[in-house]
Amino acid sequence: MTSSAPLHDVVARRPNIAVVVGTVTVGGAAPIVVQSMTNTDTADIAGTAKQVAELARAGSELVRITVDKPEAAAAVPRIREHLDMIGCTVPLIGDFHYNGHQLLEREPACAEALAKYRINPGNVGFGRKKDTQFAAIIAFALKYAKPVRIGANWGSLDQSMVTTLMDENHARAVPWDAARVGREALIRSALDSAARAEELGLARDRIILSCKVSGVQELIAVYRDLAARCDYALHLGLTEAGIGSKGIVASTAALSVLLQEGIGDTIRISLTPEPGESRTREVIVAQELLQTMGLRAFTPLVTACPGCGRTSSTLFQELAKTVQDHVRAKMPEWRLQYDGVENLTLAVMGCIVNGPGESKHANIGISLPGTGETPAAPVFIDGQKAMTLRGANIAHEFVGVIEEYVARKYVARA
């Protein structure tokens, strides 16, 4: 996927180190990267490749897949081959827990096909095996020139680290509260592991860190502290955001605060899908979060009024959905054809109160008739009234106006 430059200098990004993951740069001066994760059995080559392609088409710039068993590791290079055959170049990240060292050794083609490894210092190994198993994965990263995300998680903390910090806390004149000890354990787990990876030869520009929790305030506190203590590229996300509106609100509440403070280089929205819902929902939410903050542009977004007693018709609701669905469906094609079309702004308004004004602020806007108004819908293009639509085919005609504007306004790619 192509990366768009930030729309506005909303925040001063913290000077983190840039890490190259396949064809995508994370950190440094690069735009914030959207990533996602499959929920298929990776051993199902066709099913996993299909979902990866769907996520990439929706706009995911990195896609993580579970590598948890020999069959999954053996499937990875075949998934990569299948994606390459259909022209899907999105980098694949291997998610390893417990047995990553064994799987990478057993399937060298998997180690080579992945663009990045993700390991959890809380379960990469236990006791005396931890250091050797961690070192083994770093050795594979060095051999195949792969970056590594070291991702600490409060659900799988290294218990030896927790014990050590509890002992240290007990000795303090003024002990920390339990929440602060937990945050410190997460941060120390990530930073100590990164330091060890560097000792083993992994360069700083091949390391990404994350410290994930599920609580909004905890995540903000952890990442503020982590960002103040290192210059590694940082991956943001709640470890389990939740389902539906709860997951969207929680992720937005946490990540928007951190992004506004210049913290974070790549994000994932870890939504629990609604029954029957596409996995791509998490990609759309991540894009909309970055776009509404003015940090990236991915697809034209539609401003639409919420409706009130003046808007007795459901036409404006139906038209807003039709327009939003249309531009999202067209963006994979438009992105290849036109430069800058992701910055297009649209407005669908339901009555005369704010309709004309909002429509003039958008590149293309329409003000539909409200209760008691003349059954006419003025269309505004770049602030000027261009036409009036009437009758039963307003939706079809308005979509046609958008298509014509895109073809006329945006420069065709060579």
Side-chain angles (χ1 to χ4, degrees):
M1 306 299 295
T2 56
S3 295
S4 304
L7 296 180
H8 309 289
D9 187 17
V10 177
V11 290
R13 293 282 299 285
R14 301 208 177 193
N16 288 345
I17 297 168
V19 179
V20 177
V21 183
T23 57
V24 176
T25 299
V26 176
I32 297 164
V33 173
V34 171
Q35 64 178 275
S36 58
M37 185 175 182
T38 60
N39 60 358
T40 57
D41 180 353
T42 305
D44 175 5
I45 296 168
T48 300
K50 180 176 182 291
Q51 190 174 81
V52 170
E54 289 171 351
L55 291 166
R57 182 176 173 82
S60 185
E61 294 157 307
L62 299 172
V63 178
R64 184 157 46 112
I65 59 177
T66 298
V67 187
D68 58 344
K69 54 190 176 183
E71 297 85 353
V76 170
R78 296 177 63 187
I79 293 168
R80 181 71 272 167
E81 290 172 2
H82 183 86
L83 293 169
D84 291 341
M85 286 177 62
I86 62 174
C88 180
T89 60
V90 66
L92 297 178
I93 303 166
D95 193 58
F96 295 102
H97 298 276
Y98 306 107
N99 60 351
H101 61 294
Q102 295 173 334
L103 297 175
L104 290 169
E105 181 176 12
R106 176 170 176 167
E107 296 290 343
C110 168
E112 190 168 6
L114 292 169
K116 184 177 74 173
Y117 309 153
R118 188 268 177 163
I119 57 177
N120 184 339
N123 60 33
V124 71
F126 302 97
R128 287 175 294 180
K129 292 183 178 180
K130 177 180 178 179
D131 288 342
T132 57
Q133 293 176 187
F134 180 84
I137 295 179
I138 299 302
F140 285 111
L142 291 169
K143 180 177 179 179
Y144 294 102
K146 306 296 182 180
V148 175
R149 172 157 74 94
I150 297 172
N153 191 303
W154 74 344
S156 51
L157 271 175
D158 180 348
Q159 291 307 303
S160 63
M161 171 72 72
V162 174
T163 300
T164 297
L165 289 179
M166 289 177 65
D167 290 341
E168 290 179 5
N169 192 49
H170 183 70
R172 287 189 174 91
V174 181
W176 294 347
D177 60 31
R180 185 174 177 184
V181 174
R183 293 196 299 269
E184 181 66 13
L186 268 176
I187 294 167
R188 286 269 292 272
S189 179
L191 292 178
D192 289 357
S193 296
R196 178 58 180 152
E198 287 195 59
E199 290 173 3
L200 293 167
L202 193 65
R204 295 177 72 79
D205 64 358
R206 291 193 180 277
I207 299 173
I208 297 174
L209 297 188
S210 65
C211 290
K212 287 192 171 184
V213 300
S214 292
V216 170
Q217 296 297 341
E218 290 87 349
L219 192 83
I220 294 169
V222 164
Y223 272 92
R224 280 174 172 166
D225 198 352
L226 178 63
R229 291 163 65 173
C230 74
D231 60 359
Y232 296 109
L234 301 180
H235 169 77
L236 301 185
L238 293 170
T239 188
E240 290 101 13
I243 192 169
S245 60
K246 185 271 177 186
I248 294 172
V249 170
S251 293
T252 302
L255 271 59
S256 60
V257 171
L258 294 168
L259 293 169
Q260 189 67 24
E261 294 178 4
I263 299 171
D265 303 288
T266 177
I267 66 171
R268 181 193 172 205
I269 307 296
S270 300
L271 294 180
T272 303
E274 300 270 11
E277 182 181 54
S278 171
R279 189 69 163 179
T280 59
R281 181 63 174 159
E282 67 178 52
V283 178
I284 293 170
V285 172
Q287 289 181 329
E288 290 179 347
L289 169 60
L290 293 175
Q291 188 153 351
T292 54
M293 290 187 69
L295 297 171
R296 292 284 305 271
F298 297 96
T299 188
L301 294 181
V302 180
T303 298
C305 75
C308 66
R310 292 177 178 269
T311 54
S312 58
S313 170
T314 61
L315 178 59
F316 81 96
Q317 300 166 336
E318 295 161 359
L319 179 56
K321 186 176 189 308
T322 295
V323 171
Q324 184 71 81
D325 289 348
H326 179 78
V327 296
R328 280 206 166 273
K330 293 289 288 187
M331 267 310 292
E333 175 187 332
W334 283 350
R335 190 179 289 112
L336 297 175
Q337 291 181 317
Y338 304 108
D339 186 38
V341 68
E342 64 275 7
N343 296 309
L344 174 66
T345 57
L346 304 166
V348 177
M349 305 305 295
C351 78
I352 200 171
V353 174
N354 292 318
E358 287 281 1
S359 296
K360 290 176 183 178
H361 286 301
N363 293 127
I364 308 173
I366 186 169
S367 180
L368 296 170
T371 303
E373 295 175 14
T374 302
V379 174
F380 298 84
I381 297 179
D382 290 330
Q384 301 296 318
K385 183 178 176 181
M387 64 195 73
T388 299
L389 302 181
R390 295 180 173 86
N393 293 319
I394 285 179
H396 177 74
E397 292 175 12
F398 187 63
V399 167
V401 171
I402 295 169
E403 290 277 3
E404 187 277 332
Y405 182 91
V406 169
R408 172 175 56 83
K409 186 77 173 181
Y410 295 99
V411 177
R413 295 186 185 275

